[in-house]
Amino acid sequence: MHSSAINSRWVYVLFGVVFFALFAAPDFVGSAATGWTSAAFGAVAVGYVALLNTRSGSALLGQPVRPRRQEISGRFRRYALLTLLAVLLVGFAVQLLPPHWHLGVPYWRTAVGTVGGAALALFGPRCQRALLSVALRGSGRVGKIAVDGPR
């Protein structure tokens, strides 16, 4: 299908390990790690986006092509933006809850990091492929109509 618009497997494994490490850091390093892990998540996200927007970076990530913006359906774009907004609002709401909202479960961050990192490493390419097929208009079409050439 659009296999050249999907990141390499090693990218998902690496991000799964980084996700686990940043989530589990406060459980093993201490509460001081809570402050710098948020900045580290931001730095990883900005670095990933910067790599995807350059020819050499996207080739390094194993994604030499990407879908044309015109081919991504408006409906999918709206749902994606609403989903991102909902996730952000939930994140802000969680911060407003009492400090012990996790009910004293030991190593809960490690458990969340393990499940999230493993899911990202195992199901990342499949999820990206599914989202790409839903996002593209007339997803049965392949070739220059739906996907940009090498960047």
Side-chain angles (χ1 to χ4, degrees), residues 7-33:
N7 287 331
S8 295
R9 167 69 75 181
W10 69 267
V11 173
Y12 290 105
V13 172
L14 177 66
F15 282 137
V17 169
V18 168
F19 186 86
F20 165 74
L22 290 177
F23 251 87
D27 286 341
F28 295 105
V29 177
S31 62

Side-chain angles (χ1 to χ4, degrees), residues 7-98:
N7 287 331
S8 295
R9 167 69 75 181
W10 69 267
V11 173
Y12 290 105
V13 172
L14 177 66
F15 282 137
V17 169
V18 168
F19 186 86
F20 165 74
L22 290 177
F23 251 87
D27 286 341
F28 295 105
V29 177
S31 62
T34 306
W36 60 262
T37 55
S38 295
F41 269 122
V44 167
V46 168
Y48 176 70
V49 169
L51 281 173
L52 277 181
N53 286 315
T54 62
R55 288 179 192 233
S56 57
S58 60
L60 174 72
L61 295 174
Q63 188 177 348
V65 299
R66 67 177 167 190
R68 290 184 182 170
R69 291 179 192 212
Q70 305 93 309
E71 292 295 325
I72 297 175
S73 72
R75 184 177 178 191
F76 178 81
R77 211 176 272 159
R78 280 189 300 276
Y79 282 132
L81 287 174
L82 287 174
T83 302
L84 283 173
L85 179 64
V87 168
L88 283 172
L89 290 175
V90 167
F92 287 129
V94 166
Q95 294 299 318
L96 297 176
L97 292 174

Side-chain angles (χ1 to χ4, degrees), residues 137-151:
R137 296 177 190 179
S139 60
R141 298 186 309 215
V142 183
K144 289 189 174 193
I145 294 172
V147 179
D148 280 339
R151 292 185 243 160

